[in-house]
Amino acid sequence: MLNDIEKVLLSEEQLKEIVEKLGEQITNDYKGKKLVVVSVLKGSVVFMADLMRAIKIPCEIDFMAVSSYGSGTETSGIVKIIKDLDSEVVCGSDLLIVEDILDSGKTLHYLREVLSARKPSSIKICTLLDKPDRRKAPIKADYAGAVVPDAFVVGYGLDYDEKYRNLPFVGVLKPEIYENN
């Protein structure tokens, strides 16, 4: 796996600092509110696990699984909900959607629309990585860990064809790994 990485963008230490900073901001912003943290599976699960431990106020967690990529590197533009929220406490709650990367924005834009119809008090987005150069939908993160260049990144939950999620850092995947598939 390590031989497939062109370079490390964010080390384990840098990721830990990012998560602590985001956790502190979220803790301060949501004091006294009914926070429900929603992880967008599968990519955000590693980030979500660390982030929820960095949030120092009571919060509920839930999970959604959506798909717009398949096994490719480009979004299909069609978003499909594979797993919806288990919780019925969306109405009146403050939702924080946690995502691994905000890329084209199409998935999060769609998700925000779907969840808005359920009448939460608020919806905000927290993303580990922001890739604004690729944005195609009118959406931005309320909390962003780091801005990354337009490169194919993996690790710390992010994958290519379900591989590399378990890397403890975020790195750029060598193009020859995905260009021939």
Side-chain angles (χ1 to χ4, degrees):
M1 271 194 319
L2 294 177
N3 291 335
D4 296 346
I5 304 301
E6 188 173 278
K7 68 179 175 177
V8 174
L9 281 183
L10 296 168
S11 69
E12 286 182 76
E13 295 76 23
Q14 289 170 307
L15 289 167
K16 187 177 280 193
E17 288 175 17
I18 288 168
V19 169
E20 288 300 320
K21 180 180 160 218
L22 290 171
E24 187 177 317
Q25 289 175 321
I26 292 164
T27 297
N28 292 333
D29 291 351
Y30 285 93
K31 278 186 182 154
K33 296 186 177 183
K34 186 177 180 186
L35 177 60
V36 178
V37 183
V38 177
S39 174
V40 181
L41 298 173
K42 298 177 188 173
S44 72
V45 73
V46 176
F47 174 45
M48 167 79 155
D50 289 343
L51 181 64
M52 66 186 202
R53 287 190 296 263
I55 296 172
K56 305 300 182 199
I57 56 170
C59 63
E60 294 183 34
I61 63 168
D62 209 335
F63 301 89
M64 289 188 84
V66 297
S67 176
S68 67
Y69 281 86
S71 64
T73 60
E74 294 287 327
T75 181
S76 66
I78 300 167
V79 181
K80 179 173 130 181
I81 294 177
I82 298 166
K83 184 216 169 294
D84 206 340
L85 297 175
D86 292 330
S87 176
E88 296 181 20
V89 297
V90 172
C91 184
S93 296
D94 294 286
L95 296 183
L96 180 64
I97 302 171
V98 176
E99 182 63 288
D100 55 355
I101 188 165
L102 179 49
D103 196 332
S104 74
K106 290 180 180 181
T107 300
L108 278 175
H109 187 265
Y110 173 80
L111 211 50
R112 188 174 60 187
E113 296 300 313
V114 166
L115 293 174
S116 289
R118 299 178 190 182
K119 303 195 183 334
S121 290
S122 68
I123 297 179
K124 289 191 177 181
I125 294 168
C126 177
T127 187
L128 174 65
L129 306 175
D130 191 8
K131 199 186 282 188
D133 292 345
R134 300 203 13 113
R135 198 81 75 245
K136 291 183 167 66
I139 194 164
K140 68 178 198 142
D142 300 282
Y143 306 93
V147 174
V148 294
D150 187 9
F152 198 86
V153 294
V154 295
Y156 197 70
L158 291 102
D159 76 305
Y160 168 66
D161 201 19
E162 294 299 323
K163 298 175 186 81
Y164 310 101
R165 290 188 196 277
N166 57 323
L167 292 173
F169 57 82
V170 173
V172 175
L173 191 62
K174 290 180 180 174
E176 59 264 23
I177 303 301
Y178 58 87
E179 284 177 349
N180 297 326
N181 291 331

